[in-house]
Amino acid sequence: MSQLLFAVFTMVGGVLACAAYFFGTNWLLDRIFPSKGRTGAEASRNLRITNAIRPWLFMAPALFALAIYLVYPVFESVRLSFHDRSGTRFVGFSNFAWMINDGEFRQSIFNNFLWLLVVPALATFFGLVIAALTDRIWWGNIAKTLIFMPMAISFVGAAVIWKFVYDFRSEGSEQIGILNAVVVALGGTPEAWMTIPFWNNFFLMVILIWIQTGFAMVILSAALRGIPEETIEAAVIDGANGFQIFFKIMVPQIWGTIAVVWTTITILVLKVFDIVLAMTNGQWQTQVLANLMFDWMFRGGGDFGRGAAIAVVIMILVVPIMIWNIRNATREMEGH
Amino acid sequence: MIASSRSPLIILVHLSVLLLVALWTLPTAGLLISSLRDKDQLAVSGWWTALSTSSQNLTGRASAPDAQVERDGKFVISGNLTEGGSAKVSAFGVRPMQPAAFEPGTAADIGDGQTLTVNEDGSYELVSPAKMEGTRGQRIFYTASVPPRFTLDNYREVLSAAGIGSSFINSLTVAIPSTIIPILVAAFCAYALAWMPFPGRAILIAVIVGLLVVPLQMSLIPLLRLYNGVGAFFGVPAKTYVGIWLAHMGFGLPLAIYLLRNYMAGLPREIMESARVDGASDFDIFVKIILPLSFPALASFAIFQFLWTWNDLLVAMVFLGTGNDELVLTGRLVNLLGSRGGNWEILTASAFITIVVPLIVFFSLQRYLVRGLLAGSVKGG
């Protein structure tokens, strides 16, 4: 009960403090430089001053948070990656040298590339196919909702759900994991899926594909609806079949959207660590960069130098996408 | 969309969508059904058999010898193996290697002149010519068909014992302010970026777009050090709710500002100009005109941010700590996976509790969710 009271109290306090900032500073600004009820020159001077200050009052908390939580860490991580485990002694490139020689790191990089190849491609592909199929049937919206649903589930929740799917009982006893049950029913032998090196990566990827397909589907389905009817009708008149229409007429017209979906999922893949943590914690050769980094942050009291070095690698992988993103956005804004 | 869809093809479409929907919903359905099953049944049979009577190989124990009664010069222990007698015994035995050696109702000779009878309803009678000794009862192996049983016991157990209840409140304490505060902050910033002229605006927007993809992992170590430093300087704990709200705000802001700025920039210029002519300040315009008009964009971002903060594991683990009192639901679930990995009745019920709030939000506000996704990804979508 006291916990609940405390929770309510902190929540209200936090939100009110934030609102108070905006009302308070704007009230103060209007008090110090009043423009109402003053005569000509003074009023216009005050108006000019408030107009110059107010945007920064509006933006200050956001800029402050962005600087502290996103900009500063980028530079600080780069700096720390050249320092030892406590972040105090400069050690040059030795963290990176360690990284290259570390088998677990190489394993993580390899796995990360597997993830990057497989997950965005399959999630986008399934999303596209499902979007195209569900547009043609009367219960398409229900189907979409159900396929979209995993988007709401946490990665950890999804991990539990799939751990149950992959559950393994030794041969002969009744399987309660549906995958092994199907395998046994088809005459195979049950497997402990999580412990099969190399292939277990794919069983983990299935989880993220399962979550992300709904996202791809929603966006691609909107893009498909945006395709002008005439192009499709023209193709139908020319005798194109369903597959030809889909791959040769519809897909090329939504390439831009497919690229956006692809990159969004790619960024997500780089950051995903919860699934690996919850399912295997990197055992049986399933380690990925994000989880390896988390591991080094706390392993043996924490090694900030090595952790930061791994973070820098993740960052480097993201930079091309970042540049592409900014370029797209500025082009769009100019087109406005 | 395509008028000339012939019937065999459309049936194929129906079937493939059905298959895909099944693939996407079965894992969650399995979790939900399992969380409602009796824990003994859950451990021995797949959830897809939940509605059928299951045949199980069970082990029971007769009452200890101190429960024996003397009858007609013999010593008798009797009782029932199945509580309530709901199961139907089809075979029994006394050795692990031969669990189904005897038919129900037959008197099995188990050595030393003792006989054991187990009836179909689970009642048993152990008869011995001499007084039985020892502290533990005879082990009995039996095969029984058990009718399906659904119960809320798993939830009761999880909510009271596994700490899920207090984690639920922790998750709320994290997620609600982490949703409201960033929206307020982002909305003011987005308005400034969309409608208030000042030098450097274009560069700021480009920076924010660039920050959209900065990986969270990058921030963890520097922020952890910063928090420790600030905590030590002011003599407050480094891991507080305020700290995690601010962290979630920082990580959610780029997307929020980007979405809201795009939305607000699309609002008609005339409204703002006429309000300004009437003498309204920027603050008035924002609070009285822009905020109400931006409701759809605010709502869709709110849903995202809520789902994201509720489902987050990483930020909470780093900035809120992993102590028993401060664990959020996702962290609790990871702990349970480690410590109670085999207890599916605990795991399924806990997992369902963690996903029930996002699912409610999802199903009730799905329309806004989709709208938000489209606004962020497809121009004019």
Side-chain angles (χ1 to χ4, degrees):
Chain A
M1 200 60 222
S2 63
Q3 193 199 0
L4 199 62
L5 274 179
F6 169 76
V8 171
F9 181 74
T10 33
M11 280 190 262
V12 172
V15 173
L16 282 185
C18 175
Y21 163 81
F22 287 108
F23 283 95
T25 53
N26 279 284
W27 180 80
L28 260 182
L29 187 68
D30 287 331
R31 256 305 167 79
I32 298 170
F33 299 106
S35 54
K36 278 174 197 156
R38 297 294 163 110
T39 48
E42 200 192 350
S44 70
R45 183 188 66 104
N46 280 355
L47 203 60
R48 219 175 35 246
I49 294 172
T50 51
N51 277 348
I53 295 178
R54 208 185 305 270
W56 299 99
L57 278 186
F58 275 24
M59 294 188 300
L63 295 185
F64 177 76
L66 287 176
I68 295 277
Y69 286 91
L70 292 169
V71 179
Y72 156 76
V74 171
F75 295 103
E76 177 71 0
S77 281
V78 173
R79 190 189 72 81
L80 280 172
S81 67
F82 292 107
H83 286 72
D84 70 342
R85 53 182 302 124
S86 62
T88 47
R89 199 166 54 84
F90 182 77
V91 292
F93 281 92
S94 76
N95 285 326
F96 292 94
W98 157 80
M99 214 154 69
I100 293 165
N101 291 318
D102 185 52
E104 206 184 359
F105 175 79
R106 286 199 303 255
Q107 179 79 53
S108 311
I109 279 273
F110 174 73
N111 290 344
N112 250 87
F113 273 109
L114 275 185
W115 281 74
L116 288 175
L117 276 180
V118 175
V119 175
L122 283 187
T124 314
F125 173 77
F126 277 121
L128 187 58
V129 168
I130 294 169
L133 290 181
T134 47
D135 270 350
R136 303 179 187 192
I137 52 177
W138 57 269
W139 52 286
N141 277 335
I142 304 168
K144 272 186 194 164
T145 302
L146 288 172
I147 288 172
F148 190 39
M149 182 191 67
M151 276 285 285
I153 297 174
S154 66
F155 290 147
V156 183
V160 175
I161 291 176
W162 282 88
K163 211 164 184 163
F164 197 50
V165 170
Y166 293 145
D167 189 72
F168 164 72
R169 299 287 164 97
S170 57
E171 203 175 345
S173 52
E174 194 172 351
Q175 301 294 332
I176 67 166
I178 194 164
L179 183 60
N180 271 320
V182 170
V183 167
V184 170
L186 295 175
T189 50
E191 301 272 3
W193 304 103
M194 279 305 113
T195 59
I196 312 168
F198 185 68
W199 297 107
N200 50 9
N201 283 305
F202 294 94
F203 294 118
L204 294 181
M205 290 177 209
V206 165
I207 304 173
L208 194 55
I209 295 170
W210 179 74
I211 295 174
Q212 284 301 313
T213 295
F215 162 76
M217 175 197 72
V218 165
I219 291 169
L220 293 173
S221 130
L224 285 177
R225 289 222 186 96
I227 295 177
E229 288 278 328
E230 300 85 52
T231 54
I232 297 164
E233 273 162 22
V236 172
I237 291 167
D238 285 349
N241 64 30
F243 285 99
Q244 286 172 326
I245 293 173
F246 182 65
F247 285 109
K248 295 197 173 151
I249 310 290
M250 293 162 97
V251 171
Q253 293 194 57
I254 56 168
W255 262 130
T257 314
I258 291 178
V260 169
V261 171
W262 197 295
T263 36
T264 312
I265 300 176
T266 302
I267 298 166
L268 187 85
V269 167
L270 277 172
K271 299 185 202 173
V272 153
F273 107 111
D274 329 34
I275 292 178
V276 175
L277 178 80
M279 293 292 281
T280 64
N281 197 12
Q283 295 175 82
W284 307 295
Q285 301 172 27
T286 55
Q287 191 68 286
V288 292
L289 287 178
N291 193 51
L292 182 69
M293 191 217 139
F294 186 77
D295 205 10
W296 275 104
M297 273 177 70
F298 296 112
R299 187 187 283 179
D303 188 326
F304 286 150
R306 288 180 177 179
I310 299 167
V312 169
V313 171
I314 300 176
M315 184 70 202
I316 291 170
L317 293 176
V318 173
V319 165
I321 304 171
M322 191 189 266
I323 295 170
W324 185 77
N325 237 12
I326 295 177
R327 228 183 247 167
N328 268 1
T330 43
R331 198 180 303 147
E332 258 170 33
M333 263 171 240
E334 279 157 11
H336 244 288
Chain B
M1 191 188 300
I2 298 159
S4 67
S5 43
R6 281 135 298 177
S7 59
L9 205 63
I10 202 76
I11 289 172
L12 195 69
V13 170
H14 276 285
L15 284 179
S16 33
V17 175
L18 201 62
L19 177 75
L20 287 164
V21 168
L23 278 178
W24 255 260
T25 42
L26 276 183
T28 320
L31 184 89
L32 173 61
I33 294 170
S34 298
S35 71
L36 291 168
R37 293 181 73 199
D38 181 78
K39 72 176 175 189
D40 296 327
Q41 297 188 2
L42 165 61
V44 295
S45 65
W47 54 267
W48 51 93
T49 64
L51 284 177
S52 60
T53 301
S54 61
S55 175
Q56 299 173 9
N57 293 319
L58 300 164
T59 311
R61 207 178 266 284
S63 302
D66 54 11
Q68 62 190 307
V69 288
E70 198 175 346
R71 196 182 342 151
D72 306 335
K74 286 182 173 169
F75 296 88
V76 178
I77 300 174
S78 59
N80 197 310
L81 288 170
T82 58
E83 311 101 25
S86 57
K88 210 167 141 256
V89 176
S90 59
F92 72 97
V94 287
R95 278 178 207 90
M97 303 307 290
Q98 296 166 301
F102 307 104
E103 294 276 306
T106 55
D109 184 1
I110 58 169
D112 297 339
Q114 300 182 353
T115 58
L116 172 70
T117 314
V118 179
N119 296 314
E120 267 197 352
D121 62 357
S123 62
Y124 65 89
E125 201 165 62
L126 182 62
V127 182
S128 170
K131 194 167 163 49
M132 286 175 277
E133 277 164 16
T135 53
R136 307 182 71 183
Q138 169 73 38
R139 271 211 294 174
I140 304 172
F141 301 90
Y142 62 104
T143 310
S145 17
V146 186
R149 208 156 53 212
F150 290 96
T151 157
L152 288 173
D153 282 353
N154 300 337
Y155 286 96
R156 213 166 292 142
E157 183 177 350
V158 157
L159 281 173
S160 60
I164 289 284
S166 68
S167 285
F168 194 90
I169 298 176
N170 288 348
S171 274
L172 277 179
T173 319
V174 170
I176 292 176
S178 297
T179 305
I180 300 174
I181 298 174
I183 288 182
L184 206 59
V185 170
F188 273 97
C189 182
Y191 174 73
L193 287 173
W195 290 108
M196 296 165 94
F198 61 89
R201 199 166 71 161
I203 297 169
L204 264 185
I205 295 173
V207 168
I208 287 165
V209 172
L211 290 178
L212 273 174
V213 298
V214 169
L216 214 72
Q217 277 84 6
M218 200 75 196
S219 308
L220 295 181
I221 292 175
L223 287 178
L224 198 58
R225 287 164 59 90
L226 188 73
Y227 273 32
N228 286 335
V230 170
F233 186 77
F234 288 109
V236 292
K239 295 177 173 181
T240 60
Y241 282 112
V242 177
I244 195 170
W245 295 339
L246 292 177
H248 275 308
M249 174 173 93
F251 301 137
L253 269 183
L255 183 67
I257 297 175
Y258 178 71
L259 287 181
L260 293 177
R261 196 209 80 93
N262 280 355
Y263 186 89
M264 288 178 188
L267 293 174
R269 174 178 292 274
E270 296 78 35
I271 302 179
M272 270 146 282
E273 275 168 1
S274 57
R276 208 157 288 164
V277 169
D278 288 348
S281 72
D282 272 312
F283 192 76
D284 298 328
I285 294 176
F286 175 74
V287 173
K288 293 191 183 131
I289 299 175
I290 301 287
L291 270 191
L293 280 179
S294 308
F295 179 75
L298 296 172
S300 61
F301 177 74
I303 297 162
F304 269 110
Q305 181 76 1
F306 181 81
L307 289 181
W308 195 73
T309 48
W310 181 273
N311 288 336
D312 159 78
L313 171 69
L314 186 55
V315 179
M317 269 178 108
V318 175
F319 297 125
L320 202 55
T322 45
N324 211 20
D325 295 334
E326 44 209 15
L327 268 183
V328 292
L329 277 175
T330 46
R332 180 79 64 181
L333 198 54
V334 169
N335 274 10
L336 287 177
L337 266 176
S339 62
R340 310 287 285 271
N343 297 33
W344 279 113
E345 77 280 3
I346 304 265
L347 284 179
T348 51
S350 313
F352 198 74
I353 290 171
T354 71
I355 65 178
V356 74
V357 170
L359 283 186
I360 291 170
V361 170
F362 172 82
F363 280 114
S364 52
L365 303 171
Q366 203 208 121
R367 186 179 315 176
Y368 291 107
L369 193 72
V370 170
R371 203 180 289 169
L373 269 181
L374 296 180
S377 313
V378 190
K379 274 275 154 185

